[in-house]
Amino acid sequence: MSQAVTVMAGEPISEIVQWRPAAPLRPYVTWYTGYREAGMGPGRHRGLPSPYLTLIIALDEPLVIAAHPDPRTPPAEYGTLVGGLHTTPVLITHDGRQSGIQLSLSPFGARALLGLPSGELAGAVLDAADVVGPFANRLREQVLCVSGWAARFTVLDEALSARLDAGVRLQDEVVHAWNRLLTTAGAVPASELAREVGWSGRYLSRRFGVEVGLSPKAAARVVRFDRARRFIQRQAGDDRGLPLSAVAAAYGYYDQAHLARDFGEFAGCSPTRWLDEEFRYVQGVAGDPVPDSAS
């Protein structure tokens, strides 16, 4: 099954196309998202924390990261990049043109496709070649050799399927805890997760940090924020949308102020400011059910 959403504005151009990976990849890669923008004027975009790692392949121009989750990392340009789970926004800038493909990876896809646990990438945005070696540049070259989104996604399916190590085994307890956080939108306390898997809270936190990159408590907050943010995103431009107080209640926040505090920490701004600044982008991906960590 595939899904594609394309937004065309004549000239200038804004395109976003979404595609399901080949079936063997879906436990590890949730979506491919192709994007192309030109003639829109210089801009910036916040890559917000989400429950997914990001692999980005730039197309016509490099991706410019102006601010990394780790403030000690200087601004840089990337032809390919890998971003781990993070709890502060990534700031991407462009001169009016940007194009690429973003892959949303589950934390457990890190071992199967990148060859290392997600925890080693936590809070980092790295050149993909520093993570997976020459494969990153070969993959970009293969994508650039074909035309059209469907052909590019087919290249990804073939290259990633050949690289996939489906035999990687993860501890059932960590997988259970992670899936419980996803299916409950982060509503399960870490102490309850520990009881469910029969581990101490300290040991669960340690193993979770290795395989996911965040503690269970931090991961729960990120999952909850991501769900609430995406609901707000889907309502963009809808005058009948729920007020923020109702959104906060629906997604497990104590009140609107609690939601605003999480937005301040994870997005660096309020929900209304985020919508104002990112309206064109969130409109383009309003149907996208998966997170975008760094694009």
Side-chain angles (χ1 to χ4, degrees), residues 51 85 87 178 181 186 208 212 214-224:
L85 298 193
T87 56
W178 176 250
L181 290 179
F208 212 80
V212 174
L214 299 174
S215 70
K217 182 177 180 180
R221 291 183 62 211
V222 167
V223 170
R224 180 179 59 190

Side-chain angles (χ1 to χ4, degrees), residues 273-291:
R273 180 180 171 189
W274 174 72
L275 275 179
D276 287 344
E277 293 181 353
E278 308 258 349
F279 183 77
R280 183 177 73 244
Y281 180 81
V282 301
Q283 282 291 90
V285 295
D288 181 11
V290 297

Side-chain angles (χ1 to χ4, degrees), residues 10 35 41 81 106 114 178 194 197-198 206 212 219 233 271 282-283:
Y35 60 90
L81 70 78
S106 82
L114 305 180
W178 176 250
V197 301
R206 184 161 66 247
V212 174
Q233 175 177 320
V282 301
Q283 282 291 90

Side-chain angles (χ1 to χ4, degrees), residues 32 52 73 78 144 199 223 260:
Y32 302 146
Y52 292 82
T73 305
Y78 299 89
L144 290 173
W199 285 352
V223 170

Side-chain angles (χ1 to χ4, degrees), residues 18 34 54 57 76 123 150 156 180 195 202 245 247 273 283:
Q18 298 165 322
T54 300
I57 303 164
L156 292 178
R180 284 278 282 147
R195 285 195 298 271
R202 180 175 298 181
S245 58
V247 175
R273 180 180 171 189
Q283 282 291 90

Side-chain angles (χ1 to χ4, degrees), residues 115-154:
L116 75 174
S118 178
E120 293 191 19
L121 300 169
V125 173
L126 303 169
D127 189 312
D130 292 338
V131 179
V132 296
F135 174 78
N137 293 330
R138 288 199 305 270
L139 183 60
R140 184 173 186 235
E141 290 170 1
Q142 291 170 342
V143 168
L144 290 173
C145 284
V146 299
S147 299
W149 294 114
R152 295 178 186 121
F153 299 147
T154 297

Side-chain angles (χ1 to χ4, degrees), residues 7-249:
V7 179
M8 296 293 296
E11 291 292 343
I13 294 173
S14 180
E15 289 184 302
I16 295 178
V17 180
Q18 298 165 322
W19 202 268
R20 291 294 305 278
L25 295 169
R26 291 177 191 173
Y28 313 103
V29 185
T30 312
W31 287 94
Y32 302 146
T33 302
Y35 60 90
R36 185 182 301 278
E37 187 172 279
M40 305 295 285
R44 68 177 191 171
H45 166 62
R46 287 183 175 91
L48 301 184
S50 85
Y52 292 82
L53 289 81
T54 300
L55 170 62
I56 294 180
I57 303 164
L59 295 178
D60 300 330
E61 54 282 307
L63 186 71
V64 180
I65 304 295
H68 291 72
D70 184 345
R72 297 170 297 181
T73 305
E77 296 184 352
Y78 299 89
T80 60
L81 70 78
V82 172
L85 298 193
H86 51 100
T87 56
T88 55
V90 178
L91 184 62
I92 298 97
T93 60
H94 62 85
D95 63 1
R97 298 172 302 152
Q98 57 176 345
S99 58
I101 301 174
Q102 175 178 304
L103 290 71
S104 296
L105 278 64
S106 82
F108 306 137
R111 282 195 186 272
L113 287 167
L114 305 180
L116 75 174
S118 178
E120 293 191 19
L121 300 169
V125 173
L126 303 169
D127 189 312
D130 292 338
V131 179
V132 296
F135 174 78
N137 293 330
R138 288 199 305 270
L139 183 60
R140 184 173 186 235
E141 290 170 1
Q142 291 170 342
V143 168
L144 290 173
C145 284
V146 299
S147 299
W149 294 114
R152 295 178 186 121
F153 299 147
T154 297
V155 167
L156 292 178
D157 278 345
E158 294 173 352
L160 295 176
S161 294
R163 181 178 175 84
L164 176 65
D165 183 0
V168 168
R169 295 292 301 169
L170 302 169
Q171 289 177 291
D172 291 340
E173 293 85 352
V174 176
V175 174
H176 172 85
W178 176 250
N179 288 335
R180 284 278 282 147
L181 290 179
L182 290 182
T183 56
T184 63
V188 185
S191 57
E192 183 174 333
L193 290 176
R195 285 195 298 271
E196 288 181 5
V197 301
W199 285 352
S200 69
R202 180 175 298 181
Y203 188 70
L204 174 62
S205 183
R206 184 161 66 247
R207 294 307 309 162
F208 212 80
V210 171
E211 297 298 345
V212 174
L214 299 174
S215 70
K217 182 177 180 180
R221 291 183 62 211
V222 167
V223 170
R224 180 179 59 190
F225 165 77
D226 182 72
R227 298 293 175 85
R229 189 268 293 187
R230 290 192 173 277
F231 182 79
I232 294 170
Q233 175 177 320
R234 290 194 296 272
Q235 294 191 116
D238 184 353
D239 292 336
R240 298 169 297 174
L242 292 176
L244 289 176
S245 58
V247 175

